[in-house]
Amino acid sequence: RGNFFYGENKNVIGADLGIMVSNTKETFAGIALAGLVNITGKQAYVIGLQAAGLANVNRDKAYVLGVQVAGLFNSINGDGAIYGAQVAAFGNFASKTDIYGLQVGLYNKAKRVVGAQIGLLNFADNLHGIQIGALNFSNHGLLGVSPILNLGF
């Protein structure tokens, strides 16, 4: 599916390509590219890449097998998992999401991290890996709060 300024569909399976904003109301599965913003509704299954110039906003469940990248921020508001990387200049907001791989941004938040978080502020409820940043927080890691480096096993 392709759009120029704003595209809205109930379901998309395949590729969603938008110059400005792409909005899938219910189920999305595939690759999403938008010049400004990708929005998904009830559930998203990203296979390969979800990329946006400003933001990727997943309003509910999101499962990413590959890379989610945005110029400003990535947001996943429901349960989910990322198998790969979540990268944004400002922040990655995924407090109910498990990260299996890498999360990079000034601000990173995830439910569970199996891999690494790299940023200014890093938050993980459960850490099995490494956090590198000015301040690192983990409820179930080696240290609850740590400057520069935190480890979890």
Side-chain angles (χ1 to χ4, degrees):
R1 167 181 86 103
N3 69 74
F4 189 69
F5 287 112
Y6 177 83
E8 181 176 288
N9 278 329
K10 182 177 179 180
N11 297 300
V12 173
I13 296 174
D16 195 2
L17 310 171
I19 301 295
M20 303 286 273
V21 177
S22 293
N23 185 1
T24 303
K25 298 293 241 177
E26 291 192 18
T27 302
F28 169 81
I31 295 172
L33 305 172
L36 294 179
V37 180
N38 281 311
I39 302 167
T40 62
K42 292 185 179 177
Q43 52 194 355
Y45 301 95
V46 176
I47 302 163
L49 179 66
Q50 184 181 43
L54 290 180
N56 290 304
V57 178
N58 298 282
R59 293 182 176 153
D60 201 350
K61 297 177 183 179
Y63 299 90
V64 177
L65 178 60
V67 178
Q68 184 182 53
V69 61
L72 190 58
F73 72 90
N74 293 304
S75 173
I76 299 175
N77 296 326
D79 295 336
I82 293 178
Y83 299 92
Q86 188 179 42
V87 180
F90 175 68
N92 296 297
F93 305 93
S95 63
K96 297 177 184 176
T97 302
D98 296 334
I99 306 293
Y100 298 94
L102 180 65
Q103 203 176 35
V104 178
L106 290 177
Y107 176 94
N108 298 301
K109 184 162 182 143
K111 178 181 172 185
R112 180 178 188 198
V113 174
V114 178
Q117 284 182 315
I118 301 170
L120 189 63
L121 296 172
N122 298 305
F123 297 86
D125 185 45
N126 199 327
L127 177 63
H128 296 277
I130 187 169
Q131 292 175 315
I132 301 170
L135 279 176
N136 304 291
F137 300 87
S138 175
N139 293 332
H140 300 95
L142 189 59
L143 301 170
V145 179
S146 175
I148 310 303
L149 184 69
N150 196 9
L151 300 171
F153 305 100

